[in-house]
Amino acid sequence: MTRVDVIADERLLDDRHHWHEIRDFWSEGPVALVFLRQFGSAFALRQAATFNAHHDEITSLGADVVFIGLGTPIQAFTFKQRARTRFTVLATADQTLYRTMGLQHHRAGVTGPANVTALVGLIRHGLYPYQRTGDNAQLGGAFVATQGGREVVWDFRARRAADIAAADEIVDALRRERRRMAAVAEP
């Protein structure tokens, strides 16, 4: 079972150079923590686009999505602008959070025909990689945490660069968690 409470006190800078503790994001409701492979990745842009389509539904649930990437706040800002996302984007300078969450660092996972084919497909749809940030061998993942960060109710760990967590599945997990919270609150 994945735990997020171990990263609760981690402080990261957002795209505007403001500090945030991870715990702040699950204080009001469930949250999806989406670890990007790197800010400049076409796959990360695609992932943000899939979440953007669900923004209103996610916020109406009282839930949140937080993108976390290896890099600087300026690179986070560039990613946020290119991705046209309204969700929070946080930057971390090292891979400690990625290791803590069990995300792979795997050179073979970023090469190979499956990644190239997927990348060509994204380029055909107008999504281009623009700047390598962080470590090219770092893979991403996503975790849906309950309000209070007590439990992870859904998780995903990439095995190759082209693997991105399905926004529909994450939204379903956020929806289920919100329903569970409502059922517990009823007398």
Side-chain angles (χ1 to χ4, degrees):
M1 177 58 99
T2 302
R3 294 178 49 195
V4 291
D5 61 321
V6 295
I7 64 169
D9 295 328
E10 292 294 325
R11 295 184 68 205
L12 302 176
L13 286 167
D14 68 14
D15 60 297
R16 301 284 184 178
H17 291 84
H18 297 124
W19 288 102
H20 298 274
E21 286 186 356
I22 299 286
R23 76 173 65 248
D24 296 341
F25 296 102
W26 59 56
S27 63
E28 301 293 320
V31 64
L33 300 173
V34 180
F35 288 79
L36 303 170
R37 196 175 145 260
Q38 56 176 286
F39 287 125
S41 166
F43 299 116
L45 290 171
R46 174 68 182 131
Q47 189 163 32
T50 62
F51 280 101
N52 291 344
H54 295 282
H55 182 271
D56 293 341
E57 180 182 5
I58 291 167
T59 56
S60 72
L61 290 169
D64 200 0
V65 171
V66 177
F67 293 110
I68 301 170
L70 286 168
T72 66
I74 293 169
Q75 291 166 331
F77 176 81
T78 302
F79 171 79
K80 187 167 187 167
Q81 297 302 309
R82 287 183 58 91
R84 295 184 179 109
T85 188
R86 294 181 278 171
F87 293 114
T88 302
V89 179
L90 301 176
T92 181
D94 64 40
Q95 293 161 299
T96 303
L97 286 175
Y98 286 76
R99 282 192 303 270
T100 302
M101 298 309 293
L103 300 174
Q104 291 186 19
H105 181 268
H106 187 53
R107 290 217 186 279
V110 299
T111 60
N115 290 320
V116 173
T117 301
L119 180 59
V120 169
L122 290 178
I123 291 171
R124 284 186 181 145
H125 286 97
L127 290 174
Y128 299 89
Y130 60 93
Q131 177 187 20
R132 195 168 97 186
T133 64
D135 184 341
N136 195 44
Q138 181 62 59
L139 299 176
F143 306 89
V144 174
T146 60
Q147 181 174 347
R150 289 178 290 281
E151 178 180 5
V152 170
V153 295
W154 187 93
D155 65 358
F156 170 84
R157 289 174 181 82
R159 296 182 187 274
R160 57 190 178 99
D163 292 343
I164 58 174
D168 291 339
E169 291 180 28
I170 292 174
V171 171
D172 286 344
L174 292 168
R175 198 180 300 118
R176 282 191 307 273
E177 179 55 24
R178 187 44 89 180
R179 280 196 304 263
R180 188 198 65 78
M181 289 171 56
V184 169
E186 289 180 8

